[in-house]
Every structure is written in C-alpha cells, then in structure tokens.
mmCIF file of all heavy atoms in Angstrom:
data_model
loop_
_atom_site.group_PDB
_atom_site.id
_atom_site.type_symbol
_atom_site.label_atom_id
_atom_site.label_comp_id
_atom_site.label_asym_id
_atom_site.label_seq_id
_atom_site.Cartn_x
_atom_site.Cartn_y
_atom_site.Cartn_z
ATOM 1 N N ASN A 1 62.507 -5.053 11.113
ATOM 2 C CA ASN A 1 63.854 -5.567 11.363
ATOM 3 C C ASN A 1 64.797 -5.333 10.188
ATOM 4 O O ASN A 1 65.695 -6.136 9.916
ATOM 5 C CB ASN A 1 63.794 -7.060 11.716
ATOM 6 C CG ASN A 1 63.057 -7.303 13.020
ATOM 7 O OD1 ASN A 1 63.259 -6.600 14.003
ATOM 8 N ND2 ASN A 1 62.181 -8.293 13.030
ATOM 9 N N ASN A 2 64.528 -4.224 9.470
ATOM 10 C CA ASN A 2 65.399 -3.774 8.375
ATOM 11 C C ASN A 2 65.509 -4.772 7.230
ATOM 12 O O ASN A 2 66.538 -4.843 6.541
ATOM 13 C CB ASN A 2 66.797 -3.437 8.902
ATOM 14 C CG ASN A 2 67.506 -2.416 8.024
ATOM 15 O OD1 ASN A 2 66.874 -1.533 7.450
ATOM 16 N ND2 ASN A 2 68.817 -2.543 7.921
ATOM 17 N N ARG A 3 64.451 -5.569 7.012
ATOM 18 C CA ARG A 3 64.430 -6.429 5.836
ATOM 19 C C ARG A 3 64.315 -5.544 4.594
ATOM 20 O O ARG A 3 63.525 -4.606 4.560
ATOM 21 C CB ARG A 3 63.255 -7.418 5.891
ATOM 22 C CG ARG A 3 63.331 -8.396 7.048
ATOM 23 C CD ARG A 3 62.326 -9.541 6.912
ATOM 24 N NE ARG A 3 60.951 -9.101 6.932
ATOM 25 C CZ ARG A 3 60.230 -8.909 8.037
ATOM 26 N NH1 ARG A 3 60.786 -9.079 9.235
ATOM 27 N NH2 ARG A 3 58.961 -8.535 7.971
ATOM 28 N N LYS A 4 65.093 -5.863 3.564
ATOM 29 C CA LYS A 4 65.111 -5.072 2.340
ATOM 30 C C LYS A 4 64.180 -5.710 1.308
ATOM 31 O O LYS A 4 64.440 -6.818 0.834
ATOM 32 C CB LYS A 4 66.539 -4.983 1.774
ATOM 33 C CG LYS A 4 67.535 -4.338 2.732
ATOM 34 C CD LYS A 4 67.109 -2.913 3.111
ATOM 35 C CE LYS A 4 68.131 -2.267 4.026
ATOM 36 N NZ LYS A 4 67.685 -0.930 4.503
ATOM 37 N N ILE A 5 63.108 -4.987 0.984
ATOM 38 C CA ILE A 5 62.082 -5.517 0.088
ATOM 39 C C ILE A 5 62.238 -4.892 -1.289
ATOM 40 O O ILE A 5 62.100 -3.678 -1.463
ATOM 41 C CB ILE A 5 60.673 -5.230 0.655
ATOM 42 C CG1 ILE A 5 60.567 -5.745 2.096
ATOM 43 C CG2 ILE A 5 59.606 -5.843 -0.242
ATOM 44 C CD1 ILE A 5 60.931 -7.208 2.267
ATOM 45 N N ALA A 6 62.526 -5.740 -2.281
ATOM 46 C CA ALA A 6 62.725 -5.275 -3.653
ATOM 47 C C ALA A 6 61.377 -5.012 -4.311
ATOM 48 O O ALA A 6 60.409 -5.752 -4.105
ATOM 49 C CB ALA A 6 63.496 -6.327 -4.443
ATOM 50 N N TYR A 7 61.328 -3.957 -5.122
ATOM 51 C CA TYR A 7 60.071 -3.639 -5.813
ATOM 52 C C TYR A 7 60.337 -2.893 -7.110
ATOM 53 O O TYR A 7 61.400 -2.314 -7.333
ATOM 54 C CB TYR A 7 59.162 -2.791 -4.911
ATOM 55 C CG TYR A 7 59.610 -1.352 -4.740
ATOM 56 C CD1 TYR A 7 59.144 -0.345 -5.587
ATOM 57 C CD2 TYR A 7 60.519 -0.992 -3.733
ATOM 58 C CE1 TYR A 7 59.568 0.970 -5.431
ATOM 59 C CE2 TYR A 7 60.943 0.317 -3.570
ATOM 60 C CZ TYR A 7 60.459 1.294 -4.425
ATOM 61 O OH TYR A 7 60.881 2.598 -4.289
ATOM 62 N N HIS A 8 59.323 -2.912 -7.969
ATOM 63 C CA HIS A 8 59.263 -2.061 -9.151
ATOM 64 C C HIS A 8 57.957 -1.279 -9.064
ATOM 65 O O HIS A 8 56.903 -1.871 -8.818
ATOM 66 C CB HIS A 8 59.277 -2.880 -10.443
ATOM 67 C CG HIS A 8 60.606 -3.493 -10.759
ATOM 68 N ND1 HIS A 8 61.684 -2.750 -11.187
ATOM 69 C CD2 HIS A 8 61.023 -4.784 -10.730
ATOM 70 C CE1 HIS A 8 62.708 -3.556 -11.396
ATOM 71 N NE2 HIS A 8 62.336 -4.797 -11.126
ATOM 72 N N LYS A 9 58.027 0.018 -9.266
ATOM 73 C CA LYS A 9 56.813 0.841 -9.274
ATOM 74 C C LYS A 9 56.751 1.632 -10.562
ATOM 75 O O LYS A 9 57.735 2.231 -10.986
ATOM 76 C CB LYS A 9 56.791 1.805 -8.075
ATOM 77 C CG LYS A 9 55.520 2.659 -8.042
ATOM 78 C CD LYS A 9 55.458 3.579 -6.824
ATOM 79 C CE LYS A 9 54.133 4.360 -6.821
ATOM 80 N NZ LYS A 9 54.031 5.284 -5.659
ATOM 81 N N SER A 10 55.572 1.613 -11.189
ATOM 82 C CA SER A 10 55.328 2.442 -12.361
ATOM 83 C C SER A 10 54.246 3.451 -12.010
ATOM 84 O O SER A 10 53.228 3.094 -11.412
ATOM 85 C CB SER A 10 54.906 1.585 -13.561
ATOM 86 O OG SER A 10 53.813 0.751 -13.237
ATOM 87 N N GLU A 11 54.498 4.695 -12.337
ATOM 88 C CA GLU A 11 53.566 5.763 -11.983
ATOM 89 C C GLU A 11 52.437 5.872 -13.004
ATOM 90 O O GLU A 11 52.652 5.747 -14.210
ATOM 91 C CB GLU A 11 54.305 7.103 -11.901
ATOM 92 C CG GLU A 11 55.400 7.153 -10.849
ATOM 93 C CD GLU A 11 54.866 7.086 -9.426
ATOM 94 O OE1 GLU A 11 53.642 7.267 -9.232
ATOM 95 O OE2 GLU A 11 55.664 6.862 -8.502
ATOM 96 N N GLY A 12 51.246 6.108 -12.493
ATOM 97 C CA GLY A 12 50.079 6.290 -13.348
ATOM 98 C C GLY A 12 49.135 7.276 -12.698
ATOM 99 O O GLY A 12 49.504 8.413 -12.431
ATOM 100 N N GLY A 13 47.935 6.815 -12.374
ATOM 101 C CA GLY A 13 46.958 7.686 -11.737
ATOM 102 C C GLY A 13 47.082 7.690 -10.227
ATOM 103 O O GLY A 13 48.050 7.194 -9.648
ATOM 104 N N ASP A 14 46.064 8.252 -9.571
ATOM 105 C CA ASP A 14 46.063 8.365 -8.110
ATOM 106 C C ASP A 14 45.915 7.007 -7.426
ATOM 107 O O ASP A 14 46.375 6.815 -6.307
ATOM 108 C CB ASP A 14 44.930 9.287 -7.651
ATOM 109 C CG ASP A 14 45.135 10.727 -8.106
ATOM 110 O OD1 ASP A 14 46.302 11.101 -8.325
ATOM 111 O OD2 ASP A 14 44.138 11.451 -8.252
ATOM 112 N N THR A 15 45.241 6.070 -8.100
ATOM 113 C CA THR A 15 45.042 4.737 -7.529
ATOM 114 C C THR A 15 46.227 3.840 -7.881
ATOM 115 O O THR A 15 46.688 3.818 -9.022
ATOM 116 C CB THR A 15 43.747 4.104 -8.056
ATOM 117 O OG1 THR A 15 42.635 4.907 -7.666
ATOM 118 C CG2 THR A 15 43.556 2.698 -7.513
ATOM 119 N N THR A 16 46.708 3.097 -6.880
ATOM 120 C CA THR A 16 47.846 2.196 -7.086
ATOM 121 C C THR A 16 47.405 0.750 -6.935
ATOM 122 O O THR A 16 46.777 0.379 -5.941
ATOM 123 C CB THR A 16 48.964 2.477 -6.069
ATOM 124 O OG1 THR A 16 49.369 3.846 -6.170
ATOM 125 C CG2 THR A 16 50.165 1.585 -6.325
ATOM 126 N N VAL A 17 47.734 -0.067 -7.912
ATOM 127 C CA VAL A 17 47.497 -1.511 -7.855
ATOM 128 C C VAL A 17 48.733 -2.163 -7.258
ATOM 129 O O VAL A 17 49.865 -1.886 -7.675
ATOM 130 C CB VAL A 17 47.219 -2.080 -9.257
ATOM 131 C CG1 VAL A 17 47.099 -3.599 -9.202
ATOM 132 C CG2 VAL A 17 45.948 -1.466 -9.836
ATOM 133 N N ILE A 18 48.530 -3.030 -6.276
ATOM 134 C CA ILE A 18 49.636 -3.752 -5.635
ATOM 135 C C ILE A 18 49.420 -5.246 -5.826
ATOM 136 O O ILE A 18 48.365 -5.782 -5.462
ATOM 137 C CB ILE A 18 49.736 -3.417 -4.138
ATOM 138 C CG1 ILE A 18 49.995 -1.918 -3.953
ATOM 139 C CG2 ILE A 18 50.837 -4.237 -3.473
ATOM 140 C CD1 ILE A 18 49.983 -1.464 -2.521
ATOM 141 N N PHE A 19 50.419 -5.905 -6.423
ATOM 142 C CA PHE A 19 50.313 -7.343 -6.678
ATOM 143 C C PHE A 19 51.087 -8.124 -5.628
ATOM 144 O O PHE A 19 52.288 -7.909 -5.436
ATOM 145 C CB PHE A 19 50.844 -7.691 -8.070
ATOM 146 C CG PHE A 19 50.742 -9.159 -8.389
ATOM 147 C CD1 PHE A 19 49.515 -9.743 -8.656
ATOM 148 C CD2 PHE A 19 51.870 -9.957 -8.402
ATOM 149 C CE1 PHE A 19 49.405 -11.100 -8.932
ATOM 150 C CE2 PHE A 19 51.782 -11.320 -8.691
ATOM 151 C CZ PHE A 19 50.544 -11.887 -8.956
ATOM 152 N N CYS A 20 50.396 -9.041 -4.966
ATOM 153 C CA CYS A 20 51.000 -9.925 -3.964
ATOM 154 C C CYS A 20 51.130 -11.322 -4.574
ATOM 155 O O CYS A 20 50.117 -11.970 -4.871
ATOM 156 C CB CYS A 20 50.136 -9.981 -2.707
ATOM 157 S SG CYS A 20 49.891 -8.391 -1.890
ATOM 158 N N GLY A 21 52.355 -11.765 -4.761
ATOM 159 C CA GLY A 21 52.593 -13.045 -5.407
ATOM 160 C C GLY A 21 52.421 -14.239 -4.484
ATOM 161 O O GLY A 21 52.099 -14.104 -3.304
ATOM 162 N N GLY A 22 52.676 -15.404 -5.035
ATOM 163 C CA GLY A 22 52.460 -16.646 -4.304
ATOM 164 C C GLY A 22 53.690 -17.152 -3.568
ATOM 165 O O GLY A 22 54.761 -16.537 -3.577
ATOM 166 N N TYR A 23 53.536 -18.289 -2.948
ATOM 167 C CA TYR A 23 54.577 -18.959 -2.159
ATOM 168 C C TYR A 23 55.732 -19.356 -3.069
ATOM 169 O O TYR A 23 55.545 -20.049 -4.064
ATOM 170 C CB TYR A 23 53.935 -20.193 -1.523
ATOM 171 C CG TYR A 23 54.735 -20.933 -0.485
ATOM 172 C CD1 TYR A 23 54.996 -20.370 0.753
ATOM 173 C CD2 TYR A 23 55.179 -22.234 -0.727
ATOM 174 C CE1 TYR A 23 55.689 -21.076 1.722
ATOM 175 C CE2 TYR A 23 55.870 -22.954 0.240
ATOM 176 C CZ TYR A 23 56.120 -22.366 1.462
ATOM 177 O OH TYR A 23 56.809 -23.066 2.425
ATOM 178 N N MET A 24 56.933 -18.885 -2.755
ATOM 179 C CA MET A 24 58.136 -19.150 -3.543
ATOM 180 C C MET A 24 58.068 -18.561 -4.953
ATOM 181 O O MET A 24 58.808 -18.975 -5.849
ATOM 182 C CB MET A 24 58.449 -20.655 -3.613
ATOM 183 C CG MET A 24 58.969 -21.226 -2.301
ATOM 184 S SD MET A 24 59.478 -22.968 -2.401
ATOM 185 C CE MET A 24 60.961 -22.817 -3.400
ATOM 186 N N SER A 25 57.187 -17.588 -5.176
ATOM 187 C CA SER A 25 57.129 -16.888 -6.457
ATOM 188 C C SER A 25 57.843 -15.546 -6.312
ATOM 189 O O SER A 25 58.072 -15.077 -5.203
ATOM 190 C CB SER A 25 55.674 -16.647 -6.871
ATOM 191 O OG SER A 25 55.000 -17.861 -7.075
ATOM 192 N N ASP A 26 58.154 -14.925 -7.445
ATOM 193 C CA ASP A 26 58.772 -13.599 -7.376
ATOM 194 C C ASP A 26 58.047 -12.642 -8.305
ATOM 195 O O ASP A 26 57.093 -13.023 -8.987
ATOM 196 C CB ASP A 26 60.273 -13.658 -7.681
ATOM 197 C CG ASP A 26 60.572 -14.173 -9.089
ATOM 198 O OD1 ASP A 26 59.797 -13.877 -10.023
ATOM 199 O OD2 ASP A 26 61.579 -14.867 -9.266
ATOM 200 N N MET A 27 58.503 -11.397 -8.340
ATOM 201 C CA MET A 27 57.785 -10.355 -9.070
ATOM 202 C C MET A 27 58.061 -10.371 -10.569
ATOM 203 O O MET A 27 57.620 -9.473 -11.286
ATOM 204 C CB MET A 27 58.126 -8.979 -8.501
ATOM 205 C CG MET A 27 59.582 -8.596 -8.576
ATOM 206 S SD MET A 27 59.828 -6.916 -7.975
ATOM 207 C CE MET A 27 61.607 -6.869 -7.794
ATOM 208 N N GLU A 28 58.768 -11.411 -11.050
ATOM 209 C CA GLU A 28 59.013 -11.530 -12.484
ATOM 210 C C GLU A 28 58.070 -12.531 -13.134
ATOM 211 O O GLU A 28 58.237 -12.890 -14.305
ATOM 212 C CB GLU A 28 60.468 -11.954 -12.733
ATOM 213 C CG GLU A 28 61.511 -10.985 -12.185
ATOM 214 C CD GLU A 28 61.391 -9.591 -12.754
ATOM 215 O OE1 GLU A 28 60.976 -9.450 -13.926
ATOM 216 O OE2 GLU A 28 61.706 -8.625 -12.027
ATOM 217 N N GLY A 29 57.056 -12.981 -12.395
ATOM 218 C CA GLY A 29 56.108 -13.951 -12.934
ATOM 219 C C GLY A 29 55.195 -13.360 -14.001
ATOM 220 O O GLY A 29 55.105 -12.145 -14.184
ATOM 221 N N THR A 30 54.489 -14.244 -14.702
ATOM 222 C CA THR A 30 53.632 -13.842 -15.827
ATOM 223 C C THR A 30 52.586 -12.820 -15.417
ATOM 224 O O THR A 30 52.429 -11.774 -16.062
ATOM 225 C CB THR A 30 52.936 -15.084 -16.427
ATOM 226 O OG1 THR A 30 53.927 -16.008 -16.872
ATOM 227 C CG2 THR A 30 52.050 -14.688 -17.604
ATOM 228 N N LYS A 31 51.854 -13.103 -14.353
ATOM 229 C CA LYS A 31 50.770 -12.190 -13.939
ATOM 230 C C LYS A 31 51.324 -10.860 -13.442
ATOM 231 O O LYS A 31 50.789 -9.797 -13.745
ATOM 232 C CB LYS A 31 49.906 -12.860 -12.865
ATOM 233 C CG LYS A 31 49.109 -14.046 -13.370
ATOM 234 C CD LYS A 31 48.164 -14.606 -12.327
ATOM 235 C CE LYS A 31 48.877 -15.307 -11.215
ATOM 236 N NZ LYS A 31 49.505 -16.592 -11.627
ATOM 237 N N ALA A 32 52.422 -10.918 -12.680
ATOM 238 C CA ALA A 32 53.015 -9.689 -12.137
ATOM 239 C C ALA A 32 53.456 -8.759 -13.253
ATOM 240 O O ALA A 32 53.226 -7.541 -13.197
ATOM 241 C CB ALA A 32 54.198 -10.038 -11.239
ATOM 242 N N CYS A 33 54.078 -9.315 -14.286
ATOM 243 C CA CYS A 33 54.563 -8.482 -15.394
ATOM 244 C C CYS A 33 53.417 -8.055 -16.308
ATOM 245 O O CYS A 33 53.420 -6.924 -16.824
ATOM 246 C CB CYS A 33 55.622 -9.237 -16.178
ATOM 247 S SG CYS A 33 57.172 -9.497 -15.239
ATOM 248 N N PHE A 34 52.436 -8.924 -16.513
ATOM 249 C CA PHE A 34 51.275 -8.556 -17.322
ATOM 250 C C PHE A 34 50.548 -7.351 -16.724
ATOM 251 O O PHE A 34 50.143 -6.426 -17.434
ATOM 252 C CB PHE A 34 50.306 -9.744 -17.417
ATOM 253 C CG PHE A 34 48.971 -9.398 -18.013
ATOM 254 C CD1 PHE A 34 48.798 -9.286 -19.377
ATOM 255 C CD2 PHE A 34 47.871 -9.180 -17.183
ATOM 256 C CE1 PHE A 34 47.561 -8.948 -19.925
ATOM 257 C CE2 PHE A 34 46.631 -8.842 -17.712
ATOM 258 C CZ PHE A 34 46.475 -8.735 -19.091
ATOM 259 N N LEU A 35 50.402 -7.353 -15.425
ATOM 260 C CA LEU A 35 49.677 -6.270 -14.758
ATOM 261 C C LEU A 35 50.388 -4.936 -14.895
ATOM 262 O O LEU A 35 49.753 -3.883 -14.883
ATOM 263 C CB LEU A 35 49.459 -6.614 -13.283
ATOM 264 C CG LEU A 35 48.356 -7.628 -13.011
ATOM 265 C CD1 LEU A 35 48.434 -8.141 -11.573
ATOM 266 C CD2 LEU A 35 46.979 -7.014 -13.268
ATOM 267 N N GLU A 36 51.701 -4.963 -15.044
ATOM 268 C CA GLU A 36 52.441 -3.719 -15.210
ATOM 269 C C GLU A 36 52.001 -3.001 -16.487
ATOM 270 O O GLU A 36 51.704 -1.805 -16.477
ATOM 271 C CB GLU A 36 53.938 -3.998 -15.240
ATOM 272 C CG GLU A 36 54.802 -2.761 -15.146
ATOM 273 C CD GLU A 36 56.216 -3.108 -14.757
ATOM 274 O OE1 GLU A 36 56.931 -3.731 -15.576
ATOM 275 O OE2 GLU A 36 56.622 -2.787 -13.624
ATOM 276 N N GLY A 37 51.950 -3.752 -17.589
ATOM 277 C CA GLY A 37 51.496 -3.172 -18.839
ATOM 278 C C GLY A 37 50.035 -2.792 -18.803
ATOM 279 O O GLY A 37 49.621 -1.753 -19.332
ATOM 280 N N THR A 38 49.235 -3.629 -18.164
ATOM 281 C CA THR A 38 47.802 -3.374 -18.065
ATOM 282 C C THR A 38 47.515 -2.091 -17.300
ATOM 283 O O THR A 38 46.691 -1.274 -17.711
ATOM 284 C CB THR A 38 47.104 -4.562 -17.375
ATOM 285 O OG1 THR A 38 47.224 -5.717 -18.211
ATOM 286 C CG2 THR A 38 45.634 -4.282 -17.141
ATOM 287 N N CYS A 39 48.197 -1.916 -16.174
ATOM 288 C CA CYS A 39 47.979 -0.710 -15.373
ATOM 289 C C CYS A 39 48.407 0.541 -16.132
ATOM 290 O O CYS A 39 47.772 1.599 -16.015
ATOM 291 C CB CYS A 39 48.720 -0.818 -14.043
ATOM 292 S SG CYS A 39 47.983 -2.014 -12.907
ATOM 293 N N SER A 40 49.463 0.429 -16.907
ATOM 294 C CA SER A 40 49.894 1.564 -17.729
ATOM 295 C C SER A 40 48.800 1.941 -18.721
ATOM 296 O O SER A 40 48.489 3.122 -18.905
ATOM 297 C CB SER A 40 51.185 1.200 -18.472
ATOM 298 O OG SER A 40 51.597 2.260 -19.308
ATOM 299 N N GLU A 41 48.192 0.942 -19.346
ATOM 300 C CA GLU A 41 47.098 1.184 -20.294
ATOM 301 C C GLU A 41 45.894 1.821 -19.618
ATOM 302 O O GLU A 41 45.232 2.689 -20.200
ATOM 303 C CB GLU A 41 46.655 -0.132 -20.941
ATOM 304 C CG GLU A 41 47.602 -0.695 -21.965
ATOM 305 C CD GLU A 41 47.038 -1.966 -22.568
ATOM 306 O OE1 GLU A 41 45.814 -2.017 -22.831
ATOM 307 O OE2 GLU A 41 47.808 -2.929 -22.763
ATOM 308 N N LEU A 42 45.620 1.394 -18.397
ATOM 309 C CA LEU A 42 44.413 1.843 -17.698
ATOM 310 C C LEU A 42 44.615 3.122 -16.897
ATOM 311 O O LEU A 42 43.676 3.624 -16.277
ATOM 312 C CB LEU A 42 43.918 0.727 -16.768
ATOM 313 C CG LEU A 42 43.476 -0.580 -17.442
ATOM 314 C CD1 LEU A 42 43.105 -1.621 -16.395
ATOM 315 C CD2 LEU A 42 42.302 -0.340 -18.391
ATOM 316 N N GLY A 43 45.836 3.645 -16.898
ATOM 317 C CA GLY A 43 46.097 4.880 -16.160
ATOM 318 C C GLY A 43 46.167 4.686 -14.660
ATOM 319 O O GLY A 43 45.767 5.560 -13.883
ATOM 320 N N LEU A 44 46.715 3.534 -14.241
ATOM 321 C CA LEU A 44 46.849 3.225 -12.827
ATOM 322 C C LEU A 44 48.325 3.120 -12.461
ATOM 323 O O LEU A 44 49.140 2.653 -13.254
ATOM 324 C CB LEU A 44 46.173 1.880 -12.505
ATOM 325 C CG LEU A 44 44.667 1.785 -12.733
ATOM 326 C CD1 LEU A 44 44.230 0.319 -12.759
ATOM 327 C CD2 LEU A 44 43.914 2.550 -11.654
ATOM 328 N N SER A 45 48.691 3.539 -11.271
ATOM 329 C CA SER A 45 50.027 3.260 -10.762
ATOM 330 C C SER A 45 50.092 1.778 -10.378
ATOM 331 O O SER A 45 49.065 1.144 -10.119
ATOM 332 C CB SER A 45 50.340 4.140 -9.552
ATOM 333 O OG SER A 45 50.388 5.502 -9.929
ATOM 334 N N TYR A 46 51.297 1.227 -10.342
ATOM 335 C CA TYR A 46 51.409 -0.210 -10.116
ATOM 336 C C TYR A 46 52.697 -0.550 -9.369
ATOM 337 O O TYR A 46 53.760 0.013 -9.652
ATOM 338 C CB TYR A 46 51.403 -0.954 -11.454
ATOM 339 C CG TYR A 46 51.600 -2.444 -11.338
ATOM 340 C CD1 TYR A 46 50.656 -3.242 -10.698
ATOM 341 C CD2 TYR A 46 52.744 -3.055 -11.863
ATOM 342 C CE1 TYR A 46 50.835 -4.616 -10.587
ATOM 343 C CE2 TYR A 46 52.931 -4.427 -11.761
ATOM 344 C CZ TYR A 46 51.972 -5.200 -11.115
ATOM 345 O OH TYR A 46 52.146 -6.558 -11.005
ATOM 346 N N ILE A 47 52.587 -1.476 -8.424
ATOM 347 C CA ILE A 47 53.752 -1.978 -7.689
ATOM 348 C C ILE A 47 53.734 -3.502 -7.680
ATOM 349 O O ILE A 47 52.738 -4.126 -7.314
ATOM 350 C CB ILE A 47 53.776 -1.477 -6.228
ATOM 351 C CG1 ILE A 47 53.819 0.052 -6.176
ATOM 352 C CG2 ILE A 47 54.977 -2.067 -5.487
ATOM 353 C CD1 ILE A 47 53.662 0.617 -4.777
ATOM 354 N N ARG A 48 54.845 -4.085 -8.085
ATOM 355 C CA ARG A 48 55.094 -5.516 -7.864
ATOM 356 C C ARG A 48 56.326 -5.607 -6.984
ATOM 357 O O ARG A 48 57.232 -4.778 -7.074
ATOM 358 C CB ARG A 48 55.267 -6.277 -9.176
ATOM 359 C CG ARG A 48 56.299 -5.707 -10.133
ATOM 360 C CD ARG A 48 56.244 -6.400 -11.489
ATOM 361 N NE ARG A 48 57.081 -5.733 -12.480
ATOM 362 C CZ ARG A 48 58.290 -6.119 -12.857
ATOM 363 N NH1 ARG A 48 58.832 -7.199 -12.298
ATOM 364 N NH2 ARG A 48 58.962 -5.467 -13.777
#
C-alpha cells in the first residue's frame, strides 16, 4: 500500500545482516547502530 520504509544500508560482503527493532523503537537505537560498525568490521553488508 505504498508505505515508505526508511532504511540505512552499508555495503560489505555477499551476506547481509538485517536488524529488526522492537515495539516503538527506531533504527537509531544502541544495538542497531552498534551492529552497523560490527558488520563493517566483519565484512558483512548491513541494513537497519
């Protein structure tokens, strides 16, 4: 129904990690942002 879903994606390896947050949480939370740096270190693509 044309809902617009905001995201940040960082490119890494062939495997992509996708973080699904909690109820009334957003993609700027501690775990969501921590995983971005972690995936970069590990050579993984990442989407929050």
Side-chain angles (χ1 to χ4, degrees):
N1 295 316
N2 206 34
R3 297 192 297 274
K4 300 301 182 185
I5 307 306
Y7 73 92
H8 287 288
K9 181 178 182 181
S10 53
E11 299 292 346
D14 294 335
T15 298
T16 303
V17 175
I18 299 175
F19 181 73
C20 300
Y23 190 69
M24 288 185 70
S25 297
D26 61 35
M27 61 176 167
E28 300 301 328
T30 301
K31 292 186 289 290
C33 292
F34 169 80
L35 283 167
E36 191 162 69
T38 295
C39 289
S40 178
E41 286 182 40
L42 297 176
L44 297 164
S45 295
Y46 176 65
I47 300 172
R48 53 189 171 100

